[in-house]
Amino acid sequence: MNWIESPSMQGLEHYLDLVTFRHELISSNLANVDTPGYHTQDVDFENEVRRADQRLEGDPVSPHVREVKGLIERPDGNNVSLERETMALSQVQLQYRAGVELLRNQIHMVQSAINEGK
């Protein structure tokens, strides 16, 4: 068994890929806050994490981007909410930190196993 390419390490890799993808979407929303007609985009994060767990090994993470419904649209047709995007960005930062910490723990376990064999 390859410790580095274990199912848990691959799951963490997919999780961090998804978090990074969502961060890029939120950044794009914020960059387009003054673009007339722009509509906020996001992913259903929990559903996408489940999908990533079920995908075949080697398949790239390709989340389904959707337009966020129910946001107030300004007269110029833009519906980006700075408050919503700021909260989403905070959430993504916490999710990323949690994923990195889990990955760090996995690597520490591998290091411990290697050092025990000496």
Side-chain angles (χ1 to χ4, degrees):
M1 177 178 154
N2 184 340
W3 290 69
I4 302 299
E5 295 180 10
S6 68
S8 60
M9 292 289 265
Q10 288 176 351
L12 285 170
E13 179 185 354
H14 299 152
Y15 176 82
L16 289 172
D17 286 346
L18 184 57
V19 170
T20 301
F21 183 85
R22 186 164 186 238
H23 183 271
E24 291 170 0
L25 273 178
I26 294 166
S27 297
S28 178
N29 291 338
L30 289 169
N32 286 289
V33 69
D34 291 324
T35 303
Y38 183 85
H39 289 118
T40 303
Q41 297 181 344
D42 205 347
V43 294
D44 179 352
F45 189 78
E46 291 79 19
N47 187 41
E48 292 299 330
V49 168
R50 281 192 293 279
R51 275 191 53 230
D53 286 343
Q54 296 171 356
R55 72 184 185 80
L56 298 174
E57 186 176 329
D59 287 348
V61 174
S62 56
H64 295 255
V65 177
R66 61 176 174 79
E67 189 176 303
V68 178
K69 303 291 183 196
L71 298 176
I72 297 172
E73 193 171 294
R74 296 190 309 257
D76 68 356
N78 185 307
N79 73 350
V80 176
S81 164
L82 286 176
E83 294 81 16
R84 179 196 181 279
E85 299 309 308
T86 303
M87 291 293 289
L89 193 58
S90 296
Q91 181 183 35
V92 163
Q93 289 171 339
L94 288 172
Q95 290 168 329
Y96 188 82
R97 286 183 192 161
V100 168
E101 189 61 34
L102 289 170
L103 186 59
R104 185 176 290 141
N105 290 340
Q106 289 288 320
I107 291 171
H108 180 69
M109 287 182 358
V110 171
Q111 286 177 327
S112 294
I114 291 170
N115 291 333
E116 292 292 321
K118 290 184 178 180

